[in-house]
Structure formats: C-alpha cells, structure tokens
Amino acid sequence: MDDPPLTMADLISLKSLDIRVLAGSNGLGREVLWAHSCELSDPERWLGPHELLMTVGLGLPETPEEQRAFIANLDETGLCGVVLGDHAPLPVLHPQLYEEANKRSFPVLLTGSSTPFAAIGRTVAAAAASAQTIQVLQLSKLYQLSAYAHTDPNRMLSDLETLFSVRLRVFDVLTGLVMLEGASSVPMPDSARERSYVLPGGSGVSLSIIEHAEEEISSFLLIHLLQVVDVALSRILPSIRSRAERSAQTFAAVLEGRPPADIEQILGLGGDSNGYQVVAVSAEDGDRVARAASIKNLPVLCASGHSSSLILMSVGMQVEVRQFLTELDIQGGASSSYVDLRDIKVAADEALKVFLSAGPHQLWKEFEGVSVSLLARSHKEASAVVELVLGDLAKTDPRNSKLRETLFSYLTNDRRATETAVSLGIHRQTLVYRMTKISEITGRDIGSSADLAAFWLAFQAWTSYKSIAD
C-alpha cells in the first residue's frame, strides 16, 4: 500500500508556491501524478488522467463559450486541474469559465507572478518519485514472498496481507468456496472496501482484496500480486482437477461392480462406520458438487449422470456432506444406509426417489419409512435374515434343499396346499409331512402371522440374492 498520493489541496497548502484557487474548490481532492506545461490550444491531446496543466494563457481562448468548452475538455480528458500563471499573456477570465469549473469541481488555480512553473513541476515529481520508490520496495518484497507460492501458499498470503495491510482470500468462482486465505490479523474498519479480480490463468478462480478506503493497492502492484497468486494456484488446481477425475472414475467402477481394493479407505468405511449412503442432487449441480468436494478433499465419490448426480459417502460423513451442500445452496436427497457395495444401484435409485420427493425449498431430505427390501437390502443383511429365519433349512444338502423348495413354493402359491402339491409333483399328504418337518427345523409355525412374515422376508432375501446360497 502506497503513501497517500499528492492532491491539488496539497499543492495549494505549500506557501512557497503561492497558489490560490479561482474555481472548482470542491475538486481539490483530485490526485496529481504529474505536472506539464503546455501553451497549445488543445492541451487535452498531450496530457492524460491525473496530470496537471500549467499555462501562462497563450493557448487559452478568449471568448466566454470557448473558455467554457476549454474547461470541459480538460475535465473530460481526466486532467486533475489547471494552473494559470499570473502574467501578461493571460486573457480575461469570463464568468462562464468559473461556472463550468465549479459545476464540474474542476480546480482552476492561479500562481503568484514570481512562482516558476518549474517549482510546481519539481514538487509533483518529487512526490511521484517517493511513491515509486515505495512501490519498487514493495514489489521486491512481493517477489521474495512468492518463494512460498508452491511450498506454503497460505503462509505467502498471510505475509502479503501484512506487506500491503490488506486481507486476501482466493475463492473458486463456480462454487464460491475459499481455496486460500491469509491468517494475518490486519485490523479492518467498517469503511473498508472489497474488490475481486479473476486470476489471469483462466482457472475460474478470483482474488478478493479487503483494503482501507482510499488506500487501495496501486494498479502497478496489483498486476504483480495477481500473477504471484496465480502461480500459487498453479500447483493446487491440477490436484483439485485430478481428485475430481479419480472420484468419477472410482464411482463408475463401483457402479459396475468393480470397486478398487482400497475403497473402504477412500470412503472411511469400516471401524466405527456403520455403512454407506448415496446422496442424489440435480444433474445441473453435478459439476459444482464434484469440484466443491474436491476442493474440500472430502472422503466421498461424486459422479454425474443424465437425470441426476450422485455422492457416495460413509454414514459418518452425513453431517459434513449435508453442511457443505447447504453452503452451496444445493438440494440433496439421501438414501438409507447400506453395508454392501454390491447394493450401490439400489441405494442410488432410493436416493433419487428421495431427492425427487423433496419440496422446492427443502435443501436436504433423508430416506424415511421402511425399505421395500426390508432386512434384505444387502447381501450381508440378506444372508443374516436367511440364516436367522431358516436355520438349517438354509443349508444346501438335498434334504434341506427339498424342504426349502417346498416352503418357498407354498408361499408363492399363497399357502394353497393343492396348488403347491401340484406344482411340486407330490401328494398332498407329502406336503403336510414336509411342512411339519419345516416347523420342527426352524421352530416357526406357518400359521402364525409373525412367523409367516419372517418366512416371507427370508424367501424375498433368498430370491433377491441367490448368490448367498451358492
């Protein structure tokens, strides 16, 4: 941050210059970067913004309206003001000149007859040189700190905050998430202003600068600051993109039944985790979700589809994922929990149904009620149900297999004995005998509503996941 720049008010405060204000006193806060003497009739062609015109009046028009236009042209070109020399060539100044200057708050100054323009020029040049020296020193320090761009970008940002007495924050434009943030304790008043600049690398990342009002980082230093921050991001961004790509590829492999060997480590499954869930979001939000999860380096997998986008996570990540979707203002629907990744498609379908059933203003909705495949949502649970309900009847020896087939046929035929016997090709009395043996082996009575429901669930688990019987 530079020292306060020289202003028109500073010039007139220097008694040695003997300058007084003729008009436009409301513009004395204008910054003066340079002072130039010009006696041409069109000085606006040769001077630029924040430059001070010094003239003895040789180029100043004589008529009232021409003098009005003269002041207007200088102001519209961006000049900070005009200093008139109190010498013979100076024409009569008409009221129209004063009116235009006051209307535009464009300072019109008059020097004493003994004040050389060179003294004004040297004063402005000295002030500019001082500011430039400070900028060069700051620039040198800026590039010293850039050494941390790759090794510790957050430290670099904190040191830059101290250097410029500002606060810095790098954020992703797509998600709005902060990617880097300084940790300095630079105090900022309520009047501080915030500016944001897209980094030059075309990465969709912006730098936010919070600085004291009227003490902004100069354009000269800002260009270099953006370049240095962009360099720091050049190592971070490829990692973010790589994580997002690996996440999509791994999720695709899981959906195809080819989960990698380290999938439990990737998702943080096992240990205290009691399963996984799938969260569905809109297809339009898929890119934002995947990038945000990668920026936060969450232990989840994200994949985009035509009808929706999905997040695969451990149950233990639910609170964090819900919070991060809320930060993004993205609606999500979560499945119930599952314990076997072979059930991923079932979980994904369930999550999509939950998502589609959510209200327009409901950012998060979880699965409620009873799953259609109760106690048989997964291979592991199905196996447990079958063993719990059927006992030895779940064995694959000929005797138990025949009895199990009889039970399942009886349930399929809605407990109609004649139809069951016909479908099995046995006598009705043989069916009665087999049903008695089934009750003895399992300890359950087919006539009991509770036992009948248990048999039916075991039958559903067996037929849905035949591989558990192999």
Side-chain angles (χ1 to χ4, degrees):
M1 184 179 61
D2 304 331
D3 284 339
L6 184 73
T7 66
M8 297 292 284
D10 294 328
L11 281 179
I12 65 172
S13 69
L14 298 174
K15 302 301 183 182
S16 60
L17 295 180
D18 190 20
I19 300 175
R20 60 189 178 94
V21 182
L22 295 180
S25 58
N26 288 336
L28 292 179
R30 295 193 182 201
E31 181 179 345
V32 186
L33 294 182
W34 199 249
H36 190 78
S37 177
C38 181
E39 300 300 339
L40 299 175
S41 60
D42 53 353
E44 68 276 4
R45 290 183 55 191
W46 315 107
L47 279 75
H50 303 295
E51 293 186 336
L52 176 65
L53 169 64
M54 299 182 293
T55 176
V56 295
L58 294 176
L60 186 67
E62 296 188 359
T63 68
E65 290 307 316
E66 286 178 331
Q67 288 186 359
R68 184 194 299 275
F70 180 80
I71 295 297
N73 289 337
L74 296 181
D75 181 52
E76 291 171 3
T77 303
L79 272 67
C80 59
V82 57
V83 173
L84 304 175
D86 190 9
H87 303 286
L90 186 68
V92 174
L93 302 180
H94 297 287
Q96 286 81 350
L97 180 146
Y98 297 110
E99 291 172 3
E100 191 68 20
N102 288 328
K103 183 180 72 173
R104 293 175 173 269
S105 296
F106 183 81
V108 177
L109 312 180
L110 183 68
T111 67
S113 58
S114 61
T115 302
F117 285 166
I120 299 175
R122 284 194 296 270
T123 300
V124 175
S130 175
Q132 289 170 358
T133 299
I134 293 173
Q135 285 188 342
V136 170
L137 293 174
Q138 287 181 319
L139 182 61
S140 175
K141 183 63 175 178
L142 169 65
Y143 281 103
Q144 288 179 24
L145 297 176
S146 69
Y148 298 110
H150 290 313
T151 58
D152 194 347
N154 283 298
R155 173 182 173 178
M156 182 192 77
L157 222 59
S158 297
D159 290 343
L160 289 174
E161 287 183 331
T162 302
L163 174 64
F164 295 114
S165 296
V166 297
R167 289 184 183 170
L168 302 174
R169 184 169 52 94
V170 178
F171 64 93
D172 178 58
V173 176
L174 179 63
T175 63
L177 295 179
V178 175
M179 303 176 70
L180 290 176
E181 190 167 20
S184 72
S185 56
V186 177
M188 282 292 157
D190 293 337
S191 59
R193 55 172 292 189
E194 181 174 2
R195 297 186 290 171
S196 295
Y197 303 90
V198 177
L199 295 181
S203 55
V205 178
S206 289
L207 173 66
S208 169
I209 306 174
I210 301 176
E211 53 200 341
H212 293 270
E214 308 301 331
E215 296 182 15
E216 298 89 352
I217 295 176
S218 70
S219 299
F220 170 75
L221 289 171
L222 180 61
I223 294 173
H224 296 276
L225 174 61
L226 292 175
Q227 291 287 351
V228 167
V229 174
D230 195 51
V231 169
L233 266 292
S234 66
R235 176 165 294 186
I236 297 173
L237 288 172
S239 297
I240 291 174
R241 287 192 289 266
S242 178
R243 281 198 295 268
E245 291 170 1
R246 289 198 306 270
S247 175
Q249 293 167 0
T250 304
F251 204 150
V254 173
L255 287 171
E256 293 170 3
R258 302 181 293 102
D262 61 345
I263 186 64
E264 291 194 353
Q265 287 74 27
I266 293 174
L267 294 175
L269 295 171
D272 296 332
S273 175
N274 56 349
Y276 71 88
Q277 290 176 278
V278 174
V279 178
V281 301
S282 70
E284 294 78 12
D285 290 324
D287 289 342
R288 291 181 64 213
V289 168
R291 185 168 174 90
S294 185
I295 290 173
K296 286 180 168 288
N297 201 17
L298 297 178
V300 301
L301 298 178
C302 300
S304 297
H306 296 295
S307 59
S308 69
S309 292
L310 302 172
I311 305 170
L312 174 60
M313 65 179 185
S314 70
V315 172
M317 282 296 297
Q318 185 190 106
V319 173
E320 191 168 351
V321 169
R322 178 177 181 176
Q323 181 178 349
F324 119 92
L325 288 179
T326 301
E327 289 178 19
L328 297 175
D329 195 28
I330 289 178
Q331 188 178 45
S335 73
S336 54
S337 62
Y338 289 78
V339 296
D340 195 309
L341 283 172
R342 287 176 291 184
D343 303 307
I344 183 69
K345 291 183 179 179
V346 177
D349 290 341
E350 190 175 88
L352 179 58
K353 291 176 183 177
V354 173
F355 170 72
L356 295 175
S357 68
H361 304 296
Q362 188 175 7
L363 281 181
W364 178 265
K365 184 172 183 180
E366 296 181 31
F367 175 84
E368 297 176 351
V370 179
S371 175
V372 173
S373 54
L374 177 65
L375 296 179
R377 293 177 308 198
S378 68
H379 290 73
K380 183 177 180 180
E381 289 185 0
S383 179
V385 170
V386 169
E387 292 177 5
L388 175 66
V389 176
L390 300 184
D392 288 345
L393 211 63
K395 296 180 179 179
T396 57
D397 61 275
R399 177 175 175 270
N400 283 303
S401 294
K402 183 180 293 185
L403 291 175
R404 186 176 60 251
E405 180 185 5
T406 300
L407 173 61
F408 290 170
S409 179
Y410 186 69
L411 294 172
T412 302
N413 286 290
D414 291 329
R415 292 179 294 158
R416 292 190 290 266
T418 301
E419 286 86 339
T420 302
V422 170
S423 66
L424 292 173
I426 61 175
H427 194 275
R428 185 183 175 96
Q429 276 304 116
T430 302
L431 175 63
V432 172
Y433 171 77
R434 291 184 181 179
M435 295 304 297
T436 300
K437 297 303 292 181
I438 289 171
S439 294
E440 291 175 358
I441 293 172
T442 62
R444 298 179 185 275
D445 181 4
I446 197 71
S448 164
S449 296
D451 288 342
L452 175 63
F455 278 137
W456 179 257
L457 290 173
F459 169 55
Q460 290 294 313
W462 184 280
T463 55
S464 298
Y465 300 95
K466 292 180 181 180
S467 61
I468 62 174
D470 297 335

